[in-house]
Amino acid sequence: MNMAHSLPRNSMSLQILEDYRRTINQAIEQFLDTMPAALGMRPESLSTYSLDAFAKSREYTMRPGKRIRGALAAAAYDDAKGTHLADAGIALAVAQELIQSYLLITDDVADRSELRRGKPTVHREYMAELDKYGDEHEANMLAQYVGLITEQIAYLALLQAPERPEHIMGALHSLHGNLTVTGLGQIDDIYHKVGRSVSQDEIIRVYSLKTGYYTFVNPLQAGLLLAGITDTDAMQQITVFGMAAGIAFQMHDDYLGVFGDTAETGKPSDDDLKEGKYTMLVQYALEHAKTDDAVILRQILGNLNISTDAVRRAQQIFNDSGATLYIQAETHRYAEIAKKQLADIAVWSEQFKAFLSDLVDFAISRQS
């Protein structure tokens, strides 16, 4: 990777991320333009419902985003091959970002989220068209299938990468394995609701399996495998790095889920509270808040009709109980663990390690 800029290192890394984001966006659009013809289907042979599903998948995927996962995959490939914005790495990035859309679409249904990146979620779009699509259950099912379609065309994007077939198969194998682990983390996460006994270790496990794997481990390992690098020690070290980085990322995400600005995050700040999500922030507050505050917090969590005043009260309880400061400290602790792990990963250049270190810092300081 060519990092010869005169900018400070952090700014330089963010510029590299922006270069990848711009290129990945263009590649996603170009790839989606081939649908449904790439499937051997003519648009006139499809129903309006099918065409609408493709349109919803495209619109959702092209909403403004940082493309962190795609950038990690493409940059890992470039670092291994000594290239810059190589077509094969970008094809993998397109696949990663379409998989990201699939996961978010299904996650939106599970969380009953109404907004994603400042616009209605796919199931809410279908809900707004009930005259065509029946009821809430049908809207949810349709959204799930849009997610499924998006996932499947993601693999088609990777299969088109200009790389050796065995390298593509290695990356595909990694993607499927790591996404299976992510799904297991998602199952645990659904069970982690207020009112159920959940330990800190169990919450950390979810953060590792869900966010660690699909945000860091998955793209970084796939990028190396697509480049033909199969070093098992490196893969294990990447797992350790990715899990720590993912825990830090998710802790900060949970903080933004309650204290973030909706205009910045693109999601309402009451979503996690309505869901009754058992995050580390919630777990610490319930254990350390005053008895009366803990009672109030339990009443707020899981309430689908939560008021603005209730959100502010929850924020106050998180602050008063020390939960906010605890989460911020733990976020930085796990970020440091991740960055220290980088020194042991011999397959990566020092420049790429510096890029990843900056990206970890960015992940825990972002506002969206």
Side-chain angles (χ1 to χ4, degrees):
M1 296 175 65
N2 180 14
M3 297 189 182
H5 297 266
S6 59
L7 297 169
R9 202 184 83 179
N10 286 1
S11 298
M12 179 175 64
S13 295
L14 291 181
Q15 182 57 55
I16 292 170
L17 181 62
E18 173 59 21
D19 290 344
Y20 276 105
R21 188 194 69 80
R22 189 183 307 111
T23 304
I24 292 166
N25 276 341
Q26 293 171 351
I28 293 173
E29 282 196 299
Q30 290 171 2
F31 175 71
L32 292 179
D33 281 344
T34 69
M35 296 294 152
L39 303 173
M41 307 180 78
R42 300 189 312 276
E44 59 268 23
S45 71
L46 295 173
S47 70
T48 56
Y49 307 117
S50 294
L51 294 174
D52 183 50
F54 276 117
K56 281 181 166 59
S57 172
R58 180 193 182 98
E59 188 279 328
Y60 188 94
T61 300
M62 293 312 301
R63 291 177 186 181
K66 301 176 191 67
R67 308 300 186 196
I68 289 176
R69 295 157 189 85
L72 283 174
Y77 178 87
D78 280 338
D79 186 66
K81 300 285 279 191
T83 53
H84 181 60
L85 300 174
D87 289 343
I90 295 301
L92 174 59
V94 171
Q96 292 281 354
E97 290 300 325
L98 288 169
I99 288 169
Q100 163 79 342
S101 287
Y102 150 67
L103 290 170
L104 291 180
I105 289 168
T106 56
D107 204 41
D108 288 341
V109 174
D111 294 347
R112 301 175 185 175
S113 298
E114 297 190 0
L115 292 177
R116 175 69 68 175
R117 294 171 179 165
K119 296 182 179 180
T121 53
V122 173
H123 67 281
R124 292 306 303 178
E125 288 183 334
Y126 276 120
M127 280 289 291
E129 302 165 355
L130 285 182
D131 58 322
K132 288 192 290 184
Y133 299 114
D135 57 18
E136 182 175 357
H137 174 65
E138 190 167 346
N140 288 340
M141 286 195 302
L142 288 164
Q144 294 283 25
Y145 277 109
V146 170
L148 178 64
I149 291 167
T150 306
E151 181 195 23
Q152 297 309 307
I153 62 176
Y155 299 124
L156 294 178
L158 177 53
L159 287 169
Q160 294 179 13
E163 252 295 351
R164 294 169 61 176
E166 61 268 31
H167 294 178
I168 294 174
M169 288 303 297
L172 275 172
H173 186 275
S174 176
L175 284 179
H176 283 293
N178 286 329
L179 286 173
T180 300
V181 173
T182 299
L184 296 174
Q186 183 65 52
I187 287 173
D188 284 354
D189 192 33
I190 289 173
Y191 276 103
H192 289 183
K193 303 294 182 186
V194 172
R196 296 171 180 167
S197 178
V198 183
S199 68
Q200 283 198 8
D201 287 345
E202 289 173 317
I203 296 171
I204 291 296
R205 183 177 67 223
V206 167
Y207 290 175
S208 301
L209 300 183
K210 187 178 173 183
T211 308
Y213 268 81
Y214 107 90
T215 299
F216 292 97
V217 177
N218 182 39
L220 291 170
Q221 288 184 345
L224 282 182
L225 289 164
L226 186 63
I229 295 177
T230 59
D231 187 315
T232 53
D233 288 339
M235 295 301 167
Q236 181 55 40
Q237 291 163 345
I238 290 170
T239 299
V240 175
F241 162 77
M243 289 172 68
I247 292 168
F249 185 101
Q250 188 59 53
M251 283 187 173
H252 185 63
D253 212 50
D254 290 342
Y255 169 81
L256 291 176
V258 176
F259 291 94
D261 183 344
T262 299
E264 292 279 348
T265 64
K267 287 187 66 177
S269 60
D270 59 4
D271 260 15
D272 287 357
L273 298 174
K274 283 182 177 179
E275 189 188 347
K277 210 169 185 180
Y278 210 113
T279 64
M280 190 69 76
L281 185 70
V282 168
Q283 201 268 358
Y284 190 94
L286 290 176
E287 281 196 356
H288 295 85
K290 297 175 183 177
T291 302
D292 290 347
D293 283 349
V295 170
I296 292 171
L297 184 57
R298 287 185 184 278
Q299 292 171 346
I300 292 172
L301 293 163
N303 181 357
L304 296 179
N305 298 311
I306 188 172
S307 66
T308 302
D309 287 342
V311 172
R312 292 197 189 98
R313 185 71 180 96
Q315 292 172 339
Q316 181 182 356
I317 293 170
F318 289 134
N319 289 335
D320 292 347
S321 65
T324 305
L325 289 176
Y326 174 77
I327 291 304
Q328 290 171 339
E330 284 293 278
T331 297
H332 284 87
R333 185 172 74 84
Y334 276 103
E336 289 304 313
I337 292 172
K339 290 191 289 184
K340 287 179 182 177
Q341 180 63 26
L342 288 170
D344 298 329
I345 306 178
V347 295
W348 284 337
S349 70
E350 292 305 313
Q351 290 176 321
F352 188 54
K353 292 177 186 179
F355 171 66
L356 291 176
S357 180
D358 288 345
L359 200 59
V360 170
D361 287 336
F362 169 70
I364 65 170
S365 62
R366 72 193 195 286
Q367 298 303 309
S368 62

